[in-house]
Amino acid sequence: DSGVTQTPKHLITATGQRVTLRCSPRSGDLSVYWYQQSLDQGLQFLIQYYNGEERAKGNILERFSAQQFPDLHSELNLSSLELGDSALYFCASSGHSGNTIYFGEGSWLTVV
Amino acid sequence: GQNIDQPTEMTATEGAIVQINCTYQTSGFNGLFWYQQHAGEAPTFLSYNVLDGLEEKGRFSSFLSRSKGYSYLLLKELQMKDSASYLCATHDDSWGKLQFGAGTQVVVTP
């Protein structure tokens, strides 16, 4: 158990819909990272937050947004969903030093 | 930007040793990570190198040469459960983006 908690574990939704994925980082970790992993694809960096502020941005679509709340949990919002958005979405967290980054179990999103 | 290269697949026999190489080109560098990922599961942290040299942790060792933009992960005494994808990742200067390579699928045969 990495200590990073993600919900929901599985989600099936229709095209055009909107979903929210939730992540609770390890206790004390200030950084949260979001990644997308499609079938047979590598981990694609989406976005990072540090203590509530956006720190780095990757190939995140405009239909996607994220935020980190004062209690340090983070949410990834995916809207106007398309079939191609079906993927495993991982959240990871790290402390200030950044030398240990642990991943949650992921949220499986299926868009039908 | 960052560019990370690692072999797509490697096959080795149970009990053997396998070395997975990773080369990278980054605009900023603040450390290199190795992760293990079984299909459909979360990546599991294996090692972190920021200084040149070898870090040993049980059956796994990781090496880094910053001047050459090169790292390797050494897996010794291979077990069937080591069959997985091994991901090399670099951390940029601002402790921000953690960029992953495509992963090396290691297949351990009896």
Side-chain angles (χ1 to χ4, degrees), chain B residues 19-22 24 32 34 47-56 60-74 88:
Chain B
Q19 177 174 316
I20 306 168
N21 296 323
C22 170
Y24 62 90
L32 188 137
W34 284 97
S47 68
Y48 169 75
N49 294 69
V50 64
L51 301 176
D52 286 359
L54 186 67
E55 295 277 344
E56 296 187 82
F60 296 171
S61 303
S62 57
F63 171 83
L64 176 67
S65 169
R66 293 178 68 134
S67 62
K68 295 181 179 176
Y70 168 71
S71 173
Y72 68 73
L73 179 70
L74 196 68
C88 171

Side-chain angles (χ1 to χ4, degrees), chain A residues 33 35 37 42-43 45 48 55-58 88 90 97-105 108, chain B residues 33 35 37 39-45 48 87 91-92 94-102:
Chain A
Y33 307 76
Y35 286 85
Q37 189 171 40
L43 283 162
F45 173 73
Q48 182 210 4
R55 187 72 174 271
K57 209 166 187 175
L88 189 51
F90 286 108
S97 67
N99 62 0
T100 49
I101 300 175
Y102 291 95
F103 281 75
E105 295 297 310
W108 278 100
Chain B
F33 294 81
Y35 284 84
Q37 187 180 28
E41 297 182 9
T44 303
F45 173 82
Y48 169 75
L87 308 168
H91 213 177
D92 70 12
S94 65
W95 293 111
K97 181 186 299 188
L98 180 64
Q99 189 82 13
F100 282 84

